[in-house]
Amino acid sequence: MFTFFPTARVRPSPFLEAAMAEGLVAANVYNRMVMPTSYGDPEGEYWRLINGVSQWDVGVERQVQLRGPDAGRLAQILAPRDLSTCKVGQGKYVPLCNHKGTIINDPILLKLADDLFWLSIADSDIWFWAGAIAAERGLDVEVSDPDVHPMALQGPKAEDVVAHVLGDWVRGLKYFWFRETEVQGIPVAIQRSGWSKQGGFEIYLKDSRRGTELWNIFKEAGQPWGIGPGAPATPERVESGLVSVGGDTDDETNPFEVRLGKYVNLDVPDDTVGIQALRRIHAEGVKRHQLGLVMDGAAPMPFGTRAEDILHNGEKVGKMTNSTWSPRMKANIGFALISVSVTAGASVQVMRPGGPVAARLVELPFL
Ligand code: THG
């Protein structure tokens, strides 16, 4: 038994109380907030995500709000992806890079109005970054952390639950599109999104006093579909090939190395942060790429606490950045960030804490 005390610096989300009432047993820290990770039955939580509907406290996915006449300009300066066609009500996945072209975050950008955007971020301090760049460029825009907190419903039955609460119109929402509305008087934005490939929605709560109330509305509504608590599930996201920036990337990783090149447009304006470096990297070609690893052995193995070396013909060629037991593949799988000289089909060795393990390289996603 382990007790964690949220503080003003490591904040709880408005859903933490509800998550604890559901039997939360494990949490992590993400964006200086408490991120629930397990309710004690990882295998059951995985299958509920694959076959049913899972309810997640993902309040750690913070919003970096850009508001003001130059909000759109700042968004385009921060993101090396063409945003000129992004409509109000639309979201886009936008890798953010530094001036060297290294990926520093991979938010979903939501355009709420011509002068109002949210960058719904992964785990790094983008407020400082966005605020500093706005000031240095003399832009008229305010950067803030608004009172907005996502909860996710993921899985093949998520749409039925959300439609039951909000109406059948949600079935018509396209991927990453959203609408601002109310749930029994609680202000929210509803988006078709979420960090799994099983389908679903995120409900962005816009009043932190009402987290438990919102949680319970969806919990009650989901009973006929067997809803239960869960969290972003490593086995599912690895099977699905979703990148975790900061985990699967290091201080040198550019978007092209980790299959995110399709979200980069090289013809964005020259003042976009990192675009000069990205054009050069693209022209020269990458030195590393990301592949899947399928390891030998029929028993689940834990991942070490850090990336593990990969050897090919006795020589170090890269590293394994995560690994997990895949219940559907019945194998230990992981991501390799590895020299482009080694390609899918090759046999390698992973230097695991318990000793070397033979593995085969495959293309991602696994499933
Ligand atoms: N929801 C919200 N914010 C987030 C995440 C989220 N911020 C951090 C983190 N997750 C961002 N990372 C991702 C990564 C991938 C996807 C979503 C968020 C994703 N990718 C699809 C894919 O790779 O197939 C589709 C991308 C596309 O084609 O545009 O969905 O989960 N609020």
Side-chain angles (χ1 to χ4, degrees), residues 22-40:
E22 296 272 11
L24 181 69
V25 299
N28 212 324
V29 173
Y30 189 100
N31 278 325
R32 292 174 287 117
M33 288 181 67
V34 182
M35 177 174 73
T37 57
S38 178
Y39 295 83

Side-chain angles (χ1 to χ4, degrees), residues 30 58 61-63 81 92-93 105-108 110 120-123 150 175-176 191 193-197 202 204 241-243 260 262-263:
Y30 189 100
V58 283
E61 289 161 354
R62 304 304 309 152
Q63 319 326 305
R81 180 173 182 181
K92 274 183 184 274
Y93 183 41
N105 205 297
D106 66 330
I108 298 168
L110 291 86
S120 189
I121 58 169
D123 185 21
Y175 206 69
F176 287 150
Q191 184 181 38
S193 56
W195 208 52
S196 85
K197 294 295 274 184
E202 289 178 301
Y204 295 73
L242 289 172
V243 175
L260 301 180
K262 57 180 181 277
Y263 307 113

